[in-house]
Amino acid sequence: MLTRLHKKTTLSEREVEDLVGVPVIRVFPNDYHAVQQALDSGTLLPPTSQLGTAFADLADALVARKSPTKADSYKRKFLEFVGPTA
């Protein structure tokens, strides 16, 4: 995840990926104005702000992932029980 990305940044997403050796899977913009307003007013970040939208997109992506089923849970426990010992 790449945070506080400025529109006029020195490094592009691609350059950051090349530097750290892993893909950037999510980008959070630098939305200083919205964050400062939320802090000053003691409220949540507006969901319509750039950063609020990025957080909502992340939440949607996390919720959309397949949750483990009960059968998957049993398989893991079985493998932990019979797995190789060191």
Side-chain angles (χ1 to χ4, degrees), residues 33-73:
H33 182 70
V35 171
Q36 194 59 48
Q37 278 187 323
L39 288 171
D40 290 344
S41 64
T43 59
L44 297 175
L45 190 64
T48 55
S49 67
Q50 290 178 344
L51 188 55
T53 301
F55 283 142
D57 290 345
L58 173 64
D60 289 343
L62 292 173
V63 170
R65 293 184 188 259
K66 179 185 169 230
S67 298
T69 64
K70 202 169 194 175
D72 291 338
S73 176

Side-chain angles (χ1 to χ4, degrees), residues 3-83:
T3 62
R4 299 191 69 187
L5 182 67
H6 293 271
K7 290 180 182 174
K8 296 179 182 178
T9 186
T10 307
L11 296 173
S12 69
E13 278 183 55
R14 182 68 161 169
E15 291 170 322
V16 170
E17 289 176 337
D18 291 342
L19 281 171
V20 297
V22 294
V24 172
I25 58 170
R26 186 76 53 193
V27 176
F28 296 95
N30 185 26
D31 198 353
Y32 179 82
H33 182 70
V35 171
Q36 194 59 48
Q37 278 187 323
L39 288 171
D40 290 344
S41 64
T43 59
L44 297 175
L45 190 64
T48 55
S49 67
Q50 290 178 344
L51 188 55
T53 301
F55 283 142
D57 290 345
L58 173 64
D60 289 343
L62 292 173
V63 170
R65 293 184 188 259
K66 179 185 169 230
S67 298
T69 64
K70 202 169 194 175
D72 291 338
S73 176
Y74 289 132
K75 287 177 190 174
R76 274 194 299 265
K77 288 180 183 175
F78 177 76
L79 291 175
E80 288 172 8
F81 180 73
V82 298

